[in-house]
Amino acid sequence: MSGQDGAPRPHPVTGQQFVSPVPPGTGWPGDPADAATPVAQDAADVARLASAARTLTELDAAVSVCRACERLVQWREQVAAAPRASFAGQPYWGRPVPSFGDPDATALIVGLAPAAHGANRTGRMFTGDRSGDWLYQALHALGRASRPTSTHAGDGLELDDLRITALAHCAPPANKPTTQESATCGQWLDRELALMEPRLRAVLCLGSLAWNATLAAARRIGWDVPRPKPRFGHEAVATLLRRDGRPLRLIGCYHVSQQNTFTGVLTREMLLSALGKLWTSET
């Protein structure tokens, strides 16, 4: 697929022509995969390839070509083939969106899923939509993002001591992955937490779904999670214990969705306060 007329489109930053969805290894900025990257076709493949990843780079590559959830593959590629009028001249990534940020980070943000015309278009977490505008502006104010905007992969944005992931790496219809889709993709999150474990000190969850998914992943990889299960709330903080007994702080934050930001459920001050807890021991 390459748009409704089948034609390649120029990347907004590099000008290179791409069909939609973008084949791995063809030069898209930040693409971690190539034509030889193994492709997960079902949940069992996800489990096998996730456990085989020895680095975050290997994990990101495997995530970015995953085809394990048929409904999500069809949806993300359907969206890529029929872009919004405002993006009609652009190619769409149309693949699972890998995590983004500093590979040596001690802080992690877990979101919900890529937006159909945001990260599903740009190929980078929280890039190209209003949620990303809020998030990266706040991170820039905290000195953790090199730019206050995030419009396209290849725009020069870098993160300092922070990595961003999601409980689902494909854009889901109505922004709602199914229980089975979340469980399948959760295996990527399990491995990501395990690979980051030696240096990871804090995780911020955008919304209750990310909070619950992170707690579930923590239990699956053998971390000690308080019982009863910590309840989500804005700036709620829970202490988890990693397998070596060291503490890790889990922080709640209302999601940077337009519904929350437009209605004032989440203000810029609230977002800055919650994000700041990633790099402080204060509760």
Side-chain angles (χ1 to χ4, degrees):
M1 299 180 195
S2 52
Q4 290 178 315
D5 60 1
R9 308 291 192 207
H11 188 276
V13 174
T14 69
Q16 183 177 343
Q17 299 280 328
F18 293 98
V19 296
S20 304
V22 176
T26 54
W28 189 273
D31 186 351
D34 58 32
T37 301
V39 178
Q41 300 289 349
D42 55 29
D45 282 350
V46 172
R48 176 176 56 83
L49 292 173
S51 63
R54 294 292 174 259
T55 66
L56 291 172
T57 299
E58 290 180 10
L59 184 69
D60 289 341
V63 165
S64 75
V65 296
C66 182
R67 301 183 66 84
C69 300
E70 182 178 357
R71 186 183 79 117
L72 298 185
V73 171
Q74 292 178 348
W75 174 250
R76 77 193 191 209
E77 295 187 354
Q78 176 184 327
V79 171
R84 282 182 176 168
S86 54
F87 305 128
Q90 298 180 19
Y92 271 55
W93 171 256
R95 288 164 42 198
V97 179
S99 301
F100 169 65
D102 183 348
D104 297 318
T106 65
L108 177 70
I109 291 175
V110 182
L112 173 58
H117 298 279
N120 186 57
R121 171 175 57 90
T122 65
R124 192 172 68 194
M125 286 287 176
F126 285 101
T127 297
D129 60 25
R130 290 183 178 177
S131 293
D133 292 343
W134 270 66
L135 181 61
Y136 288 112
Q137 184 179 63
L139 290 172
H140 182 260
L142 291 170
R144 299 297 175 175
S146 62
R147 299 164 55 97
T149 59
S150 180
T151 56
H152 304 284
D155 62 9
L157 176 67
E158 295 181 354
L159 300 181
D160 176 40
D161 196 21
L162 176 65
R163 184 170 162 90
I164 301 177
T165 191
L167 67 93
H169 287 271
C170 290
N175 292 321
K176 294 180 180 179
T178 66
T179 300
Q180 182 57 53
E181 289 162 354
S182 296
T184 297
C185 210
Q187 297 176 105
W188 298 123
L189 180 59
D190 293 355
R191 188 58 179 159
E192 187 161 17
L193 292 177
L195 288 170
M196 294 186 71
E197 182 175 7
R199 57 193 173 277
L200 189 62
R201 295 187 299 185
V203 179
L204 182 136
C205 300
L206 291 169
S208 61
L209 293 178
W211 176 271
N212 292 333
T214 302
L215 287 173
R219 286 198 181 99
R220 287 193 298 268
I221 66 173
W223 293 4
D224 184 56
V225 177
R227 294 186 182 278
K229 185 180 77 173
R231 296 183 62 181
F232 172 78
H234 187 73
E235 297 199 56
V237 177
T239 299
L240 314 183
L241 297 179
R242 287 165 283 184
R243 286 171 287 190
D244 63 2
R246 291 180 300 141
L248 179 141
R249 300 171 69 247
L250 188 71
I251 304 156
C253 179
Y254 292 147
H255 198 281
V256 285
S257 66
Q258 291 188 49
Q259 179 179 354
N260 285 343
T261 57
F262 281 5
T263 60
V265 170
L266 179 68
T267 66
R268 296 188 188 278
E269 292 74 19
M270 291 168 66
L271 179 58
L272 283 167
S273 179
L275 288 170
K277 290 181 180 294
L278 281 168
W279 298 279
T280 179
S281 60
E282 296 176 3
T283 58

